[in-house]
Amino acid sequence: MTPQSELRLLPWSGPDGKPCYLSTDGSGGYMSRLADNIEAVQLGTATDLLERASGVLGDQDADPDDLRLMLTELTGALRDVLRVATSRGHLLAVSEPHS
């Protein structure tokens, strides 16, 4: 098992919203590739939502239900993007040579 600093935060939560981690020595394994693919989907979804949100916010006739739905979707996407950023930040910190 790798040290705690080398655990990868996965892009999904476990029971009760607790974070899930992957202990691996390489990035080519099945779970690493699965996590990479899910992160890519999450980032793409966030990009799409951002474009849709601009349209909804620019629509003077958007009703409160539309705005609430958009805010709910954006909150979930932001949570996913923050998890990806945290995971990648940890991966960068582990892979950088120590001075």
Side-chain angles (χ1 to χ4, degrees), residues 5 7 13 15 25 43 45 53-54 60 62 74 76 78 83 88-90:
S5 62
L7 294 176
S13 298
D25 292 332
L43 294 173
T45 298
S54 295
Q60 297 296 323
L74 284 171
L78 180 58
R83 186 184 308 262
R88 291 185 181 184
H90 286 284

Side-chain angles (χ1 to χ4, degrees), residues 29-78:
Y30 174 77
M31 290 301 293
S32 291
R33 290 190 320 270
L34 177 64
D36 290 342
N37 289 336
I38 289 174
E39 285 178 352
V41 168
Q42 289 171 329
L43 294 173
T45 298
T47 299
D48 294 344
L49 281 171
L50 183 58
E51 290 176 18
R52 284 185 28 220
S54 295
V56 170
L57 290 174
D59 181 2
Q60 297 296 323
D61 297 326
D63 63 41
D65 288 337
D66 291 337
L67 295 172
R68 188 174 298 109
L69 176 61
M70 180 56 58
L71 185 56
T72 300
E73 291 176 356
L74 284 171
T75 300
L78 180 58

